[in-house]
Amino acid sequence: MIYVYPKFRSRIDIGIRIGGMGLANCLLVYARALCLAKKLNAQMITPTWEQFNFGPYLRQESDKRHYFNIFKKAGISGWKKYFLLHCLKRISENELSEIEYSRHENLIVEVKGVQPYFKDLITERDFIVENVLKLIHPFQLNEVHNLSFSRKIGIHIRLGDYHPSAQKSLDWYLEIIRQIDLHTNYSFEFLLFSDGKPEELTQLLNYSSRIQNTHFGSSIADLVALSKCEFIIGSNSTFSAWASFMGNKILLIPEPKGYLNDFSGLDYYVLDEVPILSKEILERII
């Protein structure tokens, strides 16, 4: 039997991860594992979604990013999971070959790391999204299902755990909103998703009552809600990118001061420090 195990980065995994990657990065690993399990007709070993990080507490964020009780247990879990992880040979997804596949009757293929992001997932988008949505506990999405996303634009601003040098000025987002307003006669509403405190977002929130600081109760609910918006004004963040991938939506992101994540395969535009919405972009989003 071949097993596939999405292994999320952490300092230690004791049934809960201490430290490690956030939800969107975990979903990248999980999506590749789903595709590999499908290809190999293998059984999935349930990953450890739950985690504890000190960062959200130190930054006094409303979402502590524990990821408790957001996903159902799908695949092998409990004592059997840890028995298999302890007893069976493990290889990485990059080491898998026909020789290894035929030689070992019982083998775990570990999937870990976020590379190559979305590039190899695009052709399996429908399969991945269907399975991720099935995995979410229905109660997590009650508020999302009760809201109409027609004429609503999603904004995702990453502040909390980004170094100030990597944070984008709110002027960048405000300029895009102004250009959209100018071309649409102020007919869109904006749902703002951010780990920033309300006082850090005042510049945007004071611009118009059509900009709503939004939280649906959990990271996964926010991600699904963002994916349902007409399009997304986002950050150089895998959270913004996952919403674009999940909803197959256009994503506008700022040119970063440092490293630009590889979002190949997504429908996205990188805009300059002073963003200008080109005729092509305007025709597509309005």
Side-chain angles (χ1 to χ4, degrees):
M1 173 62 70
I2 304 297
Y3 302 92
V4 174
Y5 178 48
K7 182 176 174 58
F8 302 152
R9 189 187 72 242
S10 64
R11 290 185 175 87
I12 186 172
D13 183 341
I14 52 174
I16 175 174
R17 291 179 296 125
I18 307 300
M21 53 174 53
L23 179 64
N25 284 339
C26 289
L27 284 169
L28 280 170
V29 179
Y30 187 75
R32 287 209 323 280
L34 273 175
C35 295
L36 185 59
K38 176 185 175 184
K39 177 182 177 181
L40 299 177
N41 193 26
Q43 287 196 46
M44 183 84 85
I45 296 177
T46 301
T48 305
W49 297 100
E50 300 82 358
Q51 72 162 357
F52 179 84
N53 272 328
F54 288 105
Y57 286 91
L58 296 175
R59 294 187 295 270
Q60 298 180 327
E61 296 176 9
S62 59
D63 183 358
K64 299 302 187 284
R65 309 188 195 190
H66 292 314
Y67 314 135
F68 291 134
N69 206 29
I70 63 173
F71 294 118
K72 306 169 192 171
K73 295 293 184 186
I76 297 170
S77 60
W79 68 267
K80 186 175 181 182
K81 166 185 174 176
Y82 291 101
F83 175 79
L84 293 175
L85 292 176
H86 180 73
C87 295
L88 296 189
K89 176 181 177 179
R90 300 195 221 179
I91 63 171
S92 80
E93 59 188 307
N94 299 321
E95 296 171 327
L96 187 65
S97 66
E98 290 302 321
I99 296 175
E100 290 281 5
Y101 183 67
S102 59
R103 184 180 298 170
H104 297 279
E105 185 174 332
N106 293 300
L107 180 70
I108 294 174
V109 184
E110 279 191 347
V111 179
K112 54 187 178 181
V114 298
Q115 301 284 1
Y117 292 96
F118 298 91
K119 190 170 6 181
D120 296 338
L121 303 178
I122 296 299
T123 57
E124 294 284 358
R125 184 203 309 270
D126 292 344
F127 168 75
I128 293 167
V129 172
E130 178 186 358
N131 279 273
V132 168
L133 290 176
K134 283 181 181 177
L135 195 65
I136 303 169
H137 280 298
F139 74 87
Q140 292 282 352
L141 302 181
N142 285 341
E143 289 186 48
V144 177
H145 293 324
N146 289 332
L147 183 68
S148 168
F149 290 87
S150 176
R151 307 295 291 176
K152 290 184 173 64
I153 296 169
I155 304 173
H156 175 234
I157 300 177
R158 186 82 170 263
L159 290 177
D161 59 350
Y162 272 17
H163 189 275
S165 64
Q167 295 175 5
K168 202 64 184 176
S169 167
L170 296 187
D171 290 334
W172 185 88
Y173 296 91
L174 193 54
E175 178 56 32
I176 293 176
I177 293 169
R178 285 174 174 150
Q179 291 181 47
I180 292 170
D181 280 348
L182 181 65
H183 287 88
T184 61
N185 195 27
Y186 302 86
S187 62
F188 277 99
E189 295 180 12
F190 300 86
L191 300 183
L192 172 59
F193 301 85
S194 178
D195 55 0
K197 301 181 183 70
E199 56 268 26
E200 296 175 300
L201 303 167
T202 300
Q203 183 181 358
L204 281 181
L205 297 175
N206 286 349
Y207 169 74
S208 172
S209 61
R210 291 175 295 110
I211 302 176
Q212 304 168 39
N213 196 9
T214 309
H215 181 49
F216 285 89
S218 67
S219 297
I220 193 63
D222 286 350
L223 183 63
V224 173
L226 186 60
S227 77
K228 290 179 174 292
C229 294
E230 300 274 6
F231 66 93
I232 301 161
I233 306 168
S235 303
N236 179 32
S237 157
T238 50
F239 193 92
S240 293
W242 246 100
S244 170
F245 173 80
M246 181 174 275
N248 196 16
K249 300 295 173 62
I250 295 171
L251 171 64
L252 310 179
I253 60 173
E255 186 172 16
K257 298 175 183 177
Y259 176 73
L260 175 64
N261 286 320
D262 183 1
F263 294 156
S264 300
L266 298 183
D267 190 359
Y268 76 107
Y269 296 88
V270 180
L271 302 184
D272 293 335
E273 185 73 26
V274 180
I276 297 175
L277 299 183
S278 66
K279 181 180 178 182
E280 176 192 348
I281 295 175
L282 286 169
E283 287 176 349
R284 295 194 63 203
I285 65 177
I286 294 174

